Amino acid sequence: MGQVHAGDAFTPQERYDIDKAIRDAETVSRYEFSVFVGASEGETRPFAERLHATLTAPERSVLVMVDPAARILEIVTGSEVHRDLEDGEVDLAALSMQSAFAAGDLVGGITRGLMMLAEHARRPRMLHADG
Amino acid sequence: MSDLDAAVVRRSLRALILTPAALAPLVAAPAFAAPPEAWPDAEATSALDYLLVLLVIPLGLALVIALLASVPSMVRGEKYTPGQAWRNENEWFGGPKDGLEAADQTDVKAVEAGEADRGGASARW
């Protein structure tokens, strides 16, 4: 991302944790992850979808949008990701994030949620591809 | 004996047992006794000492405990509590370079294009 506004929402450590969680999730699943924390402009779902469409490769990307003020969480998966990551699995991750957020743990919820999404999105290894 | 009689007997028995128990504390006089002659005279306690023991020390303890309880979150720098308004700037991790401006320029077609196979979930807390 571009310029980081130091000293706002997250401490450098927390920012590092989220960045690392994104990198880990991308390594595990081979898909792109992106996390938006902030106020949504207008309706949240269309806004989240617009953010998702703005990403470089939307069909291979997962966008997590957290609006702490409105207490809304949106997760958008691109068409390619959607094949490996079913909505039920996304729901599970959303549930775990939701409970962390409700306890006030914003960063923990985001990092754990990303890990869960990545684990579920990981394509199973082909064991008998040629036989 | 009929059911009614049994109930009456049971109720009067209960009253008989409970009345003295209820009356005893009212009737009892506090026990007073002069301290034995052999005891040394207690030093007079000043009002300041009372204040110190009954107010200052407990309040001080409460303050210390409250401080200790809030130290971990202060160290971690937690700024978010559920239900509190979020006054921070938007952050987009792993987003495009221009951030939200890029999203503003995204045309509707691009958003609609992915509509069909897109998935996801929503939640509130």
Side-chain angles (χ1 to χ4, degrees), chain A residues 36-40 44 65-74 94 97-106, chain B residues 80-86 121-125:
Chain A
F36 179 84
V37 182
S40 123
T44 43
M65 195 204 102
V66 184
D67 188 339
R71 303 203 202 183
I72 291 176
L73 165 71
E74 296 280 354
M97 296 173 84
Q98 191 183 10
S99 52
F101 293 159
D105 188 4
L106 210 53
Chain B
Y80 174 68
T81 24
Q84 213 174 53
W86 178 260
S122 312
R124 305 176 143 268
W125 73 90

Side-chain angles (χ1 to χ4, degrees), chain B residues 27-70:
Chain B
V27 177
F32 283 117
E37 303 279 315
W39 286 11
D41 282 334
E43 289 167 37
T45 334
S46 73
L48 250 171
D49 283 348
Y50 269 122
L51 269 183
L52 183 74
V53 172
L54 295 181
L55 277 179
V56 177
I57 293 179
L59 284 182
L61 273 176
L63 207 73
V64 168
I65 292 170
L67 210 71
L68 282 178
S70 58

Side-chain angles (χ1 to χ4, degrees), chain A residues 75-87:
Chain A
I75 301 174
V76 185
T77 55
S79 53
E80 230 175 282
V81 190
H82 192 200
R83 259 175 258 153
D84 287 328
L85 186 62
E86 284 163 26
D87 286 353

Side-chain angles (χ1 to χ4, degrees), chain A residues 2-119:
Chain A
Q3 206 201 334
V4 190
H5 305 280
D8 297 336
F10 301 108
T11 63
Q13 177 64 44
E14 291 172 331
R15 207 168 271 127
Y16 170 80
D17 285 347
I18 296 179
D19 276 331
K20 184 171 181 305
I22 292 179
R23 262 180 287 126
D24 288 349
E26 289 177 345
T27 318
V28 166
S29 67
R30 316 304 304 166
Y31 288 118
E32 318 261 324
F33 284 80
S34 158
V35 177
F36 179 84
V37 182
S40 123
E41 296 168 0
E43 293 229 11
T44 43
R45 189 71 201 174
F47 177 71
E49 286 174 354
R50 197 151 52 95
L51 292 183
H52 180 258
T54 312
L55 298 171
T56 20
E59 47 306 318
R60 298 191 41 79
S61 302
V62 178
L63 179 102
V64 176
M65 195 204 102
V66 184
D67 188 339
R71 303 203 202 183
I72 291 176
L73 165 71
E74 296 280 354
I75 301 174
V76 185
T77 55
S79 53
E80 230 175 282
V81 190
H82 192 200
R83 259 175 258 153
D84 287 328
L85 186 62
E86 284 163 26
D87 286 353
E89 296 167 329
V90 182
D91 267 329
L92 267 181
L95 204 69
S96 128
M97 296 173 84
Q98 191 183 10
S99 52
F101 293 159
D105 188 4
L106 210 53
V107 180
I110 292 173
T111 49
R112 275 198 298 278
L114 284 176
M115 212 58 234
M116 277 182 82
L117 289 171
E119 289 286 346

Side-chain angles (χ1 to χ4, degrees), chain B residues 3-21:
Chain B
D3 280 352
L4 189 70
D5 283 344
V8 167
V9 167
R10 216 180 307 130
R11 214 166 290 161
S12 47
L13 251 177
R14 198 180 302 155
L16 208 71
I17 293 164
L18 284 184
T19 313

